[in-house]
Every structure is written in C-alpha cells, then in structure tokens.
Amino acid sequence: MDFGPAAATLADTYVGEDAVLTYARSQAARTGVRAISPSGGACLRLLAAAVGAKAVAEIGTGTGVSGLYLLRGMRSDGILTTVDTEPIRQEFAREAYLAAGFAANRARFIPGRALEVLPRLADGQYDLVFCDGEAAEASSYLAESLRLLRPGGVVCFEGVFQQGRLTDPGLDDPRTAAVRELVQEVRESRQLLPALLPVSDGLLCAVRR
C-alpha cells in the first residue's frame, strides 16, 4: 500500500473544509502565514473532543485555521486562549470565529510574544496546548505547556518535520537543531506519552501523565 503523497492527499480531503475555513486559509496564504493542513486540523479537533477540552491555549493564532478546528472539537462552553505577535492576524481569526457561529467570549486573544504571555496563564488549568510558534523557542514552549496542562492534558507541536529538514543529516542550523532537541525531549520525558503523527508538516503530540 502506498503511504506517500497520494495517502496524504486522501487524508487532507477526507473531512473537507467549509467556506469559513476556506476563507481563513486564503487569508493565511495572502498574508504569508503557513496554516495547518486539513488533516492536521482534523487531528486537533479530534484531540480536543477526546479530552473534552474546556480550556485550550494556542501559540500562534495565525488567521484562525487551527483555532477553528480546536473550537469545533472543544466543549460548547470552552474558551480558546490564543497568542500571536501580530494583532492584525488575530483580527482575521476573530472574524473567522464569528462567521463560524462562535460567540465572541469563546476566544481570548492576547497579542505578544508567547514566552512573555504564557507565564501569566494559570498552572494546571488547560486541557490542551497547541504550539505553532517560533521553532527556536520550542523547548521553552514545552516547559510552559507542562506547567499549564492538567494531568491527562495534551500538548501538540505543528511543523516538526520542518519540510524535510528534520531528518536531513546535512542540516544543523539553529532552527532545525531546536526542533530535533524538542522531538528527543518529548520522546524521553517520563511526564509524557508521545506520538509523532505524519499529518500536515509533522504533528508531535503527547499526553501529560
């Protein structure tokens, strides 16, 4: 059986995307933001639903693609706290969430650098943390996520394949090295039960024990 590009295309088209997601994705392309793929988004939605997520923290709002998937998996009274350095992107996301029918109080938008914002969030109160920020800060995101998550909560990192750079032995730039360190740290942590999923550009997920 072929598990190459054809299988990836099938995974991306399996759930389909509505007009709101299509719009949010087009805004991402227009502003130069790489959005999570449909298959990766579907995994986020599934995980949010599986843990009955009421509180989710997101690093990297983008234009709202991942947030839409997360909100659609969360409980109806759940709140998404999303952080991004670019307020204009958060405005695009806000528009998308409202267009999808989510009340304004379902999402809390915090502009700023993740490592300045995350320490202000409450310990052990989050069901899921989704990280799609600066690759060089991935290990620090993990440390913050372990603090934020309740036992049984899930942390996810998007883009760990780095478009093939992760497994290229000829590449050892700081960004790639930081992601390799993250992958190893998650795999070896006694606090985490990990899985590396071949969706989007690599979705690294782990449950906090």
Side-chain angles (χ1 to χ4, degrees), residues 18-107:
D18 60 11
V20 179
L21 271 166
T22 300
Y23 172 75
R25 196 173 289 286
S26 70
Q27 291 289 66
R30 187 175 68 82
T31 56
V33 177
R34 186 183 58 80
I36 194 169
S37 74
S39 58
C43 284
L44 291 182
R45 184 180 60 183
L46 182 146
L47 289 169
V51 299
K54 183 176 181 181
V56 173
E58 177 184 46
I59 300 170
T61 309
T63 57
V65 175
S66 54
L68 285 168
Y69 277 107
L70 288 165
L71 284 165
R72 288 174 172 176
M74 295 168 65
R75 289 170 38 169
S76 60
D77 59 345
I79 296 176
L80 171 67
T81 298
T82 182
V83 182
D84 201 289
T85 57
E86 297 294 336
I88 187 62
R89 296 177 190 166
Q90 294 189 317
E91 286 305 311
F92 291 139
R94 192 190 307 272
E95 292 173 5
Y97 301 163
L98 292 174
F102 295 106
N105 64 0
R106 291 290 310 280

Side-chain angles (χ1 to χ4, degrees), residues 152-176:
V154 176
V155 59
C156 296
F157 288 85
E158 158 66 355
V160 297
F161 289 168
Q162 293 287 290
Q163 298 178 318
R165 292 192 298 271
L166 182 71
T167 55
D168 187 338
L171 294 177
D172 195 29
D173 57 281
R175 177 178 173 178
T176 304

